[in-house]
Amino acid sequence: MVVDEPVGEERLAGSLERPRAEVARALRELAAEYTAQGRGFDLRLVAGGWRFYSRDTCAAAVDRFLLDGQQARLTQAALETLAVVAYRQPVSRSRVSAVRGVNCDGVMRTLVQRGLVEEAGSEPETGAILYRTTNYFLERMGLRGLDELPELAPFLPEVDDVEAESLEGTMIAEAVAAAAVQAADGSGEAGRATHDR
């Protein structure tokens, strides 16, 4: 029940420290017993190994339970949106759109429908709905908490490489320029001037 590919009799016998013939006989007896009892699963010998499978008569119900509208993998846009929410949460849709540079309303609805993102209140200044990741997101990512998200620094471009045309690129460039000016003249005037823009 814990394997995702068929396991050979030799490997099972080695794990159980029993003779291969004994393990092979037990597997065949179990398979026949499950069929005779009409269980919802089969033990089948397939591709040189044994594995549990849903019985054909139960396959449709199992598919509905497991897939429940989630047959498709996440698109690149959905993954990018999910990453922005994960690292900036709680965050509004407009902020996610600003970071990505494209409207993300449809993608955000998909992530909410899939249970990966949920509403987390509203922004006091604008009243915009804020979003955060869910426990299901953590489960799917194999994380115990958000503190286990990988650091972004190794994946970010150097400041010199950030495109000045993007809004975030411009803001970073302005902040770096203001910090450089402030460091050079020792006053906070440049930083305040940039912030007031």
Side-chain angles (χ1 to χ4, degrees):
M1 290 191 295
V2 297
V3 298
D4 55 8
E5 58 187 35
V7 180
E9 293 170 359
E10 191 70 47
R11 184 169 171 209
L12 288 169
S15 296
L16 296 171
E17 298 178 353
R18 306 297 300 170
R20 180 178 180 194
E22 183 180 329
V23 170
R25 184 175 52 255
L27 288 166
R28 284 176 176 70
E29 288 172 4
L30 283 171
E33 181 180 324
Y34 296 153
T35 299
Q37 293 174 350
R39 300 254 179 124
F41 56 89
D42 280 322
L43 181 59
R44 297 183 201 159
L45 178 60
V46 177
W50 291 86
R51 184 172 176 209
F52 283 103
Y53 289 88
S54 301
R55 191 166 299 283
D56 294 341
T57 56
C58 301
V62 171
D63 284 348
R64 279 192 307 277
F65 177 77
L66 292 177
L67 300 176
D68 192 25
Q70 298 186 31
Q71 293 119 334
R73 292 176 178 250
L74 291 177
T75 63
Q76 184 68 30
L79 289 172
E80 290 172 10
T81 301
L82 188 56
V84 173
V85 173
Y87 282 96
R88 298 218 173 189
Q89 62 187 304
V91 64
S92 67
R93 278 188 292 190
S94 62
R95 183 67 182 138
V96 174
S97 294
V99 170
R100 289 198 57 237
V102 295
N103 185 310
C104 70
D105 291 352
V107 175
M108 197 68 100
R109 277 191 299 275
T110 299
L111 293 173
V112 169
Q113 287 173 341
R114 291 197 176 188
L116 296 167
V117 170
E118 65 186 2
E119 291 184 12
S122 60
E123 198 170 64
E125 300 85 29
T126 64
I129 296 172
L130 297 174
Y131 293 89
R132 67 179 173 216
T133 55
T134 63
N135 284 334
Y136 180 64
F137 163 80
L138 294 174
E139 180 185 323
R140 297 295 296 173
M141 295 297 291
L143 304 172
R144 285 180 292 220
L146 293 173
D147 58 325
E148 289 188 350
L149 282 170
E151 291 294 322
L152 281 179
F155 303 103
L156 293 174
E158 295 297 323
V159 173
D160 295 339
D161 298 336
V162 175
E163 293 183 24
E165 293 84 36
S166 76
L167 177 61
E168 292 227 331
T170 302
M171 290 170 56
I172 291 170
E174 287 175 354
V176 169
V181 169
Q182 184 176 1
D185 70 8
S187 74
E189 296 303 313
R192 281 194 287 279
T194 303
H195 180 67
D196 291 340
R197 270 192 228 165

